[in-house]
Amino acid sequence: TLYNTSTISWMQTGLTSGNVNDLAINSQGHIFAGVYSNLWRSVDFGATWQITGDFDANGINQGDQRIAITESDRILVTEGTSIRISDDNGITWSYANMVTNHSFERVESIAIAPNGSIYAGRVQDWGCTTCGIFKSTDGGNNFSWVFQAPYEDEAFVRFAFKPDGQIFVGSTSWGDHTGQHQMYRSIDDGSSWNYADTGLIGSVQDIIITNSGRILVNMSGSPNPGFYASDDDGSSWYQIGGGDPIERFDGGLVIDNNNTIYAFKYLWGSPNGELGYQSIDDGDSWAPISEAGLVDFDNDHTPYCSLITPSQFIFIGTGGGGVIRTMAPVTNFSEN
């Protein structure tokens, strides 16, 4: 299969401003976007948007809000040190039960495992004894602490799940600790965690697991940012794609039904003008993603997060320009 990388066209949705921290979609096809202290919802595939729920601006701005939606369409949104829950499409909200001992214990990630368990990653710093990774087995009503990394100054920012039950979580750290770890793995449903980061350097920005079982990680920070891959369940890692592109991919990674991987990059100060890169060979090589269509890809449209819908449209949350999306399913852009 060959891909015509010059024909993906983009358009602005009805949400035209704001830093969009995360995107999610429910079973009805409603799109949710986290912007500042508001959660926006579109029921018409991005044409119009409404604010759903009243979030604490002081709490939510301490960290980028993250969104997870369960199979039953329960919405979970991180808000500072808390997690908010809605069972009526964002009309009313309650709080999950989660112990908090320090104001710095922000919830930086939330993700739903294939078996329905929900995992949350929190910031850990000096003095906390039960921070790190939390787990819920009752749909998000109650979260219990399951793991804390051995060092301070660490946040668990991305979870990824393999079909065989393995769980991976990537972290970002800012302390000067020799041996600081970036990737952890659990093979017992989150009860225990071990290091899985030999060969990784820096901080994890995103993780994706391809259909072949390869784990792709986007790393930031010195000395070698860029894409890394593991073909042995995290036992070893190597830089993939020849070490190029070595850029910041803040906009996330998504995979379409043709197994094409799309990676969206940070446009501020970018040495190249592309929106990002795509790969049709499991990440071994990459080609530019086009910037065609109805969007002016200035710095305000730098990708912050991305989502691929079941119908194979890609939505991108931007750093100032709201939400954009493809004008057609990306799988339409392939040529056999």
Side-chain angles (χ1 to χ4, degrees):
T1 302
L2 298 175
Y3 278 75
N4 183 342
T5 60
S6 63
T7 53
I8 298 179
S9 296
W10 301 86
M11 60 178 284
Q12 181 77 48
T13 70
L15 188 60
T16 59
S17 64
N19 297 338
V20 181
N21 295 312
D22 203 10
L23 291 165
I25 186 171
N26 70 6
S27 68
Q28 304 171 71
H30 300 168
I31 309 289
F32 294 83
V35 184
Y36 297 121
S37 58
N38 295 318
L39 183 70
W40 292 78
R41 180 188 66 210
S42 176
V43 299
D44 52 16
F45 218 60
T48 60
W49 298 78
Q50 303 80 36
I51 293 176
T52 64
D54 178 24
F55 287 81
D56 179 0
N58 293 320
I60 210 164
N61 280 338
Q62 292 178 12
D64 297 338
Q65 62 266 57
R66 302 294 177 198
I67 312 163
I69 301 178
T70 68
E71 284 188 355
S72 64
D73 280 343
R74 166 173 277 192
I75 308 167
L76 300 103
V77 180
T78 66
E79 182 192 60
T81 60
S82 305
I83 295 172
R84 296 284 287 272
I85 304 169
S86 176
D87 290 314
D88 54 14
N89 216 27
I91 298 172
T92 60
W93 295 85
S94 59
Y95 282 99
N97 181 31
M98 175 186 277
V99 174
T100 304
N101 296 310
H102 300 278
S103 60
F104 60 72
E105 294 176 9
R106 300 185 307 276
V107 185
E108 293 285 336
S109 57
I110 188 165
I112 303 169
N115 67 0
S117 294
I118 303 173
Y119 290 86
R122 301 181 83 170
V123 172
Q124 56 180 59
D125 207 334
W126 183 84
C128 68
T129 55
T130 52
C131 47
I133 299 175
F134 285 72
K135 175 185 174 182
S136 173
T137 56
D138 60 6
N141 294 319
N142 299 280
F143 282 83
S144 300
W145 172 75
V146 292
F147 178 71
Q148 180 170 325
Y151 297 103
E152 303 165 4
D153 308 327
E154 191 161 3
F156 295 96
V157 294
R158 288 290 186 276
F159 289 88
F161 307 94
K162 296 196 77 167
D164 62 7
Q166 293 185 82
I167 308 169
F168 294 85
V169 61
S171 74
T172 181
S173 56
W174 53 95
D176 183 19
H177 300 294
T178 302
Q180 189 98 38
H181 292 275
Q182 288 82 31
M183 186 71 66
Y184 300 82
R185 179 178 72 137
S186 175
I187 58 173
D188 56 10
D189 207 27
S191 297
S192 63
W193 298 80
N194 293 294
Y195 307 133
D197 61 355
T198 301
L200 283 183
I201 300 172
S203 291
V204 172
Q205 282 191 301
D206 215 341
I207 313 171
I208 202 164
I209 297 175
T210 70
N211 284 354
S212 71
R214 170 177 278 177
I215 310 169
L216 283 178
V217 175
N218 173 38
M219 302 295 291
S220 65
S222 60
N224 295 310
F227 290 120
Y228 288 76
S230 175
D231 297 314
D232 53 14
D233 292 331
S235 296
S236 62
W237 296 84
Y238 57 93
Q239 196 153 16
I240 200 168
D244 180 43
I246 299 178
E247 299 179 69
R248 287 179 58 182
F249 286 82
D250 293 12
L253 305 166
V254 297
I255 301 179
D256 72 16
N257 285 343
N258 288 339
N259 294 325
T260 300
I261 307 165
Y262 303 85
F264 298 101
K265 75 179 193 181
Y266 189 72
L267 298 181
W268 284 82
S270 172
N272 300 306
E274 298 88 2
L275 180 64
Y277 295 89
Q278 58 185 302
S279 173
I280 61 173
D281 56 12
D282 223 28
D284 286 330
S285 61
W286 299 83
I289 296 173
S290 63
E291 295 184 353
L294 307 176
V295 180
D296 179 13
F297 286 98
D298 52 14
N299 286 338
D300 284 343
H301 289 90
T302 190
Y304 269 26
C305 57
S306 50
L307 165 77
I308 190 162
T309 70
S311 57
Q312 302 297 282
F313 286 77
I314 295 178
F315 282 72
I316 294 177
T318 71
V323 177
I324 62 174
R325 71 167 174 85
T326 56
M327 296 174 69
V330 288
T331 46
N332 285 8
F333 300 121
S334 64
E335 298 177 348
N336 293 316

